[in-house]
Amino acid sequence: ETGVTQSPTHLIKTRGQQVTLRCSSQSGHNTVSWYQQALGQGPQFIFQYYREEENGRGNFPPRFSGLQFPNYSSELNVNALELDDSALYLCASSLKLGPKDTQYFGPGTRLTVL
Amino acid sequence: GIQVEQSPPDLILQEGANSTLRCNFSDSVNNLQWFHQNPWGQLINLFYIPSGTKQNGRLSATTVATERYSLLYISSSQTTDSGVYFCAGRKGGNMLTFGGGTRLMVKP
C-alpha cells in the first residue's frame, strides 16, 4: 500500500507567477484535501475534492483552484502569487465514509515566493 | 466554524518524563484527530478519537466529547518524540480545523 505523495518537494517562484502542485492519494482513497501551513501555525483548509468535484472550500480566494483526476490524484493551482503564499502546502487523502474519515497527509511542498 | 485551542504552546521535557497536552474545542465535533509533525514537516496520524480513550504504546488519548476537550498523554518521553503536536476537529462539512500546535522538545 503506497502512501500519499506530493511533488515537487520544494519550489521557488516570484510574485505574480503561477504554480501547480501535485498529489497522489493513498491507494483505495477517493477524497483529497489541500491545506496551507504558514510558518509556526497549524494547517488551514483550502478545499476538498471528492469524485472529481470540489466538495467544500475554506477561506481562500478564487486564485486558489484545484482538480481531481479519475485516478483520484489531484492538483492545486495558485495564480498571481503573493509573498504571503509562501508556506508548506499539504495534501491529505481519505476514504469518505461520512464524518468518520481519517485523513492521511503527504510530506508537503514547501513554496517560497520572492 | 469551530475554534481549536491547544495548550501548552511550548513544552520542554527531560527524556523519560511524562506529559499531557490539551485541546479545547469551541463546539462539539464529530471527527477529532491527533497528529505529530516531524522536523521535516510530515504529519503523522496518532489517533482518530472523537470520544473515549485509546492507547498506542507510550501514547494515549482521551476525548470528553460532552465537555469539548481532548488530552494526549506521552509517557516515558524520548528524544524522537520532539516535534509539533496538532489536534484537529470537524463539525459537519469537510473542513478539518487545526489548533495552533504544541511544540515539544525532549532533551537527552
Side-chain angles (χ1 to χ4, degrees):
Chain A
E1 180 181 280
T2 55
V4 181
T5 60
Q6 292 186 242
S7 63
T9 54
H10 295 84
L11 201 52
I12 299 174
K13 292 285 188 178
T14 56
R15 197 169 46 182
Q17 285 188 311
Q18 178 266 342
V19 69
T20 298
L21 310 182
R22 294 178 175 83
C23 171
S24 291
S25 58
Q26 185 167 314
S27 61
H29 286 181
N30 58 10
T31 302
V32 173
S33 302
W34 286 91
Y35 294 82
Q36 181 195 66
Q37 186 178 18
L39 197 62
Q41 298 181 21
Q44 285 196 301
F45 177 78
I46 303 175
F47 45 54
Q48 183 182 88
Y49 277 82
Y50 170 62
R51 293 185 175 180
E52 303 177 54
E53 297 284 335
E54 188 178 288
N55 188 40
R57 188 179 185 93
N59 190 24
F60 281 82
R63 60 189 184 85
F64 286 78
S65 63
L67 285 172
Q68 187 181 30
F69 299 100
N71 67 353
Y72 303 122
S73 66
S74 177
E75 288 183 353
L76 165 66
N77 299 290
V78 187
N79 294 321
L81 284 167
E82 301 177 359
L83 297 179
D84 284 349
D85 295 335
S86 294
L88 179 67
Y89 287 84
L90 295 163
C91 155
S93 76
S94 60
L95 178 61
K96 185 165 273 303
L97 294 172
K100 295 185 178 180
D101 63 311
T102 300
Q103 297 193 7
Y104 295 88
F105 283 79
T109 293
R110 197 165 296 278
L111 173 65
T112 301
V113 182
L114 303 176
Chain B
I2 62 170
Q3 309 297 316
V4 183
E5 288 188 7
Q6 290 189 243
S7 59
D10 297 279
L11 188 58
I12 301 174
L13 298 175
Q14 205 66 37
E15 199 168 29
N18 302 328
S19 62
T20 301
L21 282 56
R22 186 177 177 107
C23 182
N24 290 329
F25 292 87
S26 62
D27 202 349
S28 58
V29 295
N30 56 15
N31 184 316
L32 194 161
Q33 295 182 239
W34 282 96
F35 298 90
H36 175 218
Q37 189 167 42
N38 65 24
W40 298 271
Q42 175 81 56
L43 277 169
I44 309 296
N45 293 66
L46 297 177
F47 295 103
Y48 169 81
I49 187 165
S51 64
T53 297
K54 290 186 178 180
Q55 181 158 5
N56 184 3
R58 296 181 296 102
L59 300 181
S60 64
T62 295
T63 296
V64 183
T66 53
E67 298 189 21
R68 304 196 303 270
Y69 73 88
S70 184
L71 303 173
L72 178 68
Y73 305 97
I74 305 174
S75 64
S76 304
S77 57
Q78 301 176 358
T79 55
T80 52
D81 294 332
S82 296
V84 185
Y85 289 81
F86 288 103
C87 64
R90 187 168 73 204
K91 177 182 175 63
N94 300 304
M95 183 171 73
L96 201 59
T97 301
F98 283 75
T102 292
R103 287 151 190 79
L104 173 65
M105 179 185 295
V106 181
K107 294 185 172 181

